[in-house]
Amino acid sequence: MAGRTIMIEGRKVYYKSTGNGLPVVFIHGACEDHSIWNQQVKHLSRLCKTVVLDLPGHGKSDPLREALIDSYSRFLSSFLEAVGIEKAVIVGHSMGGAIALKFCLMQPAKVLALILVDTGAKLGVHPVFMEAIRKD
């Protein structure tokens, strides 16, 4: 599965898509990239269309100005439109799950099903990490 880069809202976004049929979009967590879904894609792409992406600020994608769940959820809507997906099964891990939940609330007509992996509606971040982000 060869990766592609597209421009969305003036920023480069990296993604991979393989298979045909029902679209299943996988959203990784913080400090991860599309590759966390390699095993799932390997097996599911025989049954459906799988789409994995590097969220802005991760992997090979340019950053967002605001790395907030709401911003990522709006980005997901733009991404789906850019790759021609009207409705999809949305799968999210950790922060990706929070993004998926918010997206589902914002755009319910675009969600065929929601799969959440090790996530919650509100995710806490350890203060040590927040301080490191502020300093860097």
Side-chain angles (χ1 to χ4, degrees):
M1 166 171 63
R4 300 179 201 149
T5 301
I6 59 172
M7 296 299 288
I8 299 175
E9 299 171 359
R11 68 185 49 85
K12 179 179 70 173
V13 177
Y14 181 83
Y15 77 102
K16 292 182 178 184
S17 178
T18 190
N20 293 299
L22 177 73
V24 180
V25 178
F26 294 87
I27 308 166
H28 63 77
C31 303
E32 297 173 336
D33 66 19
H34 70 277
S35 67
I36 70 155
W37 301 110
N38 285 347
Q39 290 301 311
Q40 289 78 11
V41 167
K42 177 181 171 183
H43 297 287
L44 289 175
S45 63
R46 291 179 244 159
L47 305 171
C48 56
K49 177 180 182 170
T50 59
V51 180
V52 294
L53 69 145
D54 287 345
L55 288 171
H58 297 78
K60 299 176 184 178
S61 293
D62 291 341
L64 277 177
R65 204 171 354 188
E66 293 180 326
L68 303 170
I69 300 301
D70 286 353
S71 301
Y72 282 126
S73 298
R74 286 190 297 275
F75 161 80
L76 180 58
S77 184
S78 297
F79 173 79
L80 293 177
E81 184 177 322
V83 297
I85 296 175
E86 292 181 26
K87 295 181 180 185
V89 173
I90 307 294
V91 182
H93 168 252
S94 191
M95 180 186 78
I99 294 166
L101 279 167
K102 184 67 174 187
F103 178 76
C104 189
L105 291 171
M106 291 169 51
Q107 301 281 337
K110 294 184 179 184
V111 180
L112 294 170
L114 182 63
I115 300 171
L116 304 173
V117 182
D118 196 23
T119 191
K122 285 191 168 219
L123 301 174
V125 178
H126 195 282
V128 171
F129 293 120
M130 293 306 292
E131 184 60 28
I133 290 169
R134 278 191 279 277
K135 288 181 179 178
D136 187 359

